Amino acid sequence: MNARVFIDGQSGTTGLGIQARLEAVPGVVLVELPPQERKNPAAKADILRSVDLAILCLPNAAAEESVALIATLGNAAPRVLDASTAHRVAPGWVYGFPELTPEQGDKIRGAQRVANPGCYATGAVALLRPLVDAGLIPADIPLSINAVSGYSGGGKTMIADFEAGRAPHFELYALELEHKHVPEIMAYGGLTRRPIFVPSVGNFAQGMLVSIPLFLDELPEKPEAEELGAALAAHYAEAANIRVLRPDGETTLEPESLNGSNDLELRVFANPARRQAVLVAKLDNLGKGASGAAVQNLRLMLGLDE
């Protein structure tokens, strides 16, 4: 029997990406709400009662309204996958990063409510959590996280500005140091001390690099860079979408080569003589950072990964 899925907010960047990716997933039927009914709570409630899974691709406030509506449906309520920021650290929600721990995939499979990760957080958490769990990075160490994304992650206004040539070629933002992804980076990266996170956007459509510099002698174990890479490789040894690569001879890294995929690449760059290292994650901000991750979670929730 086919699973019925409703995308609430299907016309946005993430919603459109999910629709396109679901065309290649058998066993799923997309159910749509007519455009004229999208702000009609009764019509939305009717369609929510009829589906197995609702995917929320909405601003935070609208996602919270949809979750409140779903909560009124009792036994007819569908399972929920929220792609907004609203519920990523909320009680009762499972974080939708299957590779987080060996048990995370099973938690997603059995969850009623799953929060899709943020794009920047996906890269940061993927780098940090295995190293914190392995005792190589203390949970309370001061960290700086830098990242650059393609402009497609910035919403309709930013996309229009870049495509019209009105936007700068590159800009830092969130310089008030209160970016919305920091709470989930802390919660799922295993950190107890708030990192400094500085995101930026470049004049390219999609792709992302997240980097974390380290002074190796400031870490309690004073590890070699190879130990950091080995811990990452061990953690993701069974992960289908995550590769830990040795940066043999690489001295530069571009952000776009994984575009269109649900893949994530991790590298540890180092200068052994200087005892310095940089952890780097590469991903498609619309793939493993958004729509790709949502479809990966959908497959788990609906048992389509087996």
Side-chain angles (χ1 to χ4, degrees):
M1 181 181 295
N2 289 330
R4 290 167 58 84
V5 174
F6 168 54
I7 302 174
D8 194 358
Q10 65 185 38
S11 62
T13 303
T14 299
L16 291 171
I18 292 171
Q19 290 181 72
R21 289 169 182 270
L22 285 180
E23 292 177 0
V25 180
V28 173
V29 173
L30 277 179
V31 181
E32 296 188 17
L33 191 62
Q36 66 272 19
E37 298 288 354
R38 288 177 185 169
K39 294 187 178 181
N40 181 343
K44 183 181 285 189
D46 286 341
I47 202 168
L48 287 167
R49 290 189 189 95
S50 75
V51 299
D52 301 291
L53 179 68
I55 305 178
L56 310 183
C57 300
L58 301 165
N60 285 5
E64 290 169 350
E65 289 177 4
S66 287
V67 170
L69 175 59
I70 290 168
T72 69
L73 302 181
N75 292 334
R79 299 169 76 186
V80 184
L81 174 58
D82 185 8
S84 81
T85 313
H87 300 101
R88 290 179 185 156
V89 294
W93 289 77
V94 172
Y95 194 57
F97 186 45
E99 301 88 359
L100 183 70
T101 66
E103 303 82 20
Q104 197 69 14
D106 287 336
K107 290 180 180 179
I108 294 168
R109 287 186 184 92
Q112 188 69 17
R113 296 177 170 185
V114 174
N116 214 50
C119 52
Y120 291 125
T122 295
V125 169
L127 291 167
L128 290 170
R129 181 60 178 266
L131 302 180
V132 172
D133 285 351
L136 294 171
I137 293 180
D140 62 351
I141 195 169
L143 289 175
S144 294
I145 303 171
N146 303 289
V148 61
S149 175
Y151 60 76
S152 57
K156 293 181 180 179
T157 300
M158 180 177 285
I159 292 171
D161 285 346
F162 270 97
E163 293 184 346
R166 293 188 297 266
H169 289 292
F170 177 87
E171 63 180 341
L172 299 176
Y173 68 100
L175 292 174
E176 76 284 5
L177 304 182
E178 288 289 349
H179 193 277
K180 62 184 180 180
H181 288 183
V182 173
E184 65 180 292
I185 291 173
M186 292 186 65
Y188 303 107
L191 303 179
T192 58
R193 184 169 186 165
R194 184 180 180 88
I196 294 174
F197 175 50
V198 184
S200 60
V201 61
N203 191 20
F204 54 96
Q206 63 194 88
M208 175 171 284
L209 296 172
V210 179
S211 59
I212 305 174
L214 297 172
F215 292 94
L216 297 176
D217 286 338
E218 296 300 317
L219 302 175
E221 299 296 319
K222 302 186 185 306
E224 300 295 331
E226 290 78 6
E227 293 177 68
L228 303 177
L232 291 171
H235 183 91
Y236 296 112
E238 304 299 322
N241 301 101
I242 300 180
R243 298 185 294 275
V244 180
L245 304 177
R246 293 178 61 89
D248 293 329
E250 290 180 297
T251 57
T252 64
L253 200 62
E254 55 77 36
E256 299 177 271
S257 65
L258 297 181
N259 287 358
S261 78
N262 192 44
D263 294 340
L264 174 64
E265 291 180 354
L266 306 178
R267 292 171 172 83
V268 180
F269 292 88
N271 183 323
R274 303 293 186 183
R275 299 292 293 152
Q276 295 174 336
V278 180
L279 312 175
V280 183
K282 178 195 287 193
L283 64 155
D284 179 359
N285 60 290
L286 299 183
K288 186 62 171 169
S291 302
V295 172
Q296 183 181 2
N297 286 319
L298 173 146
R299 295 179 69 100
L300 287 167
M301 295 174 77
L302 297 178
L304 301 177
D305 63 315
E306 299 173 354

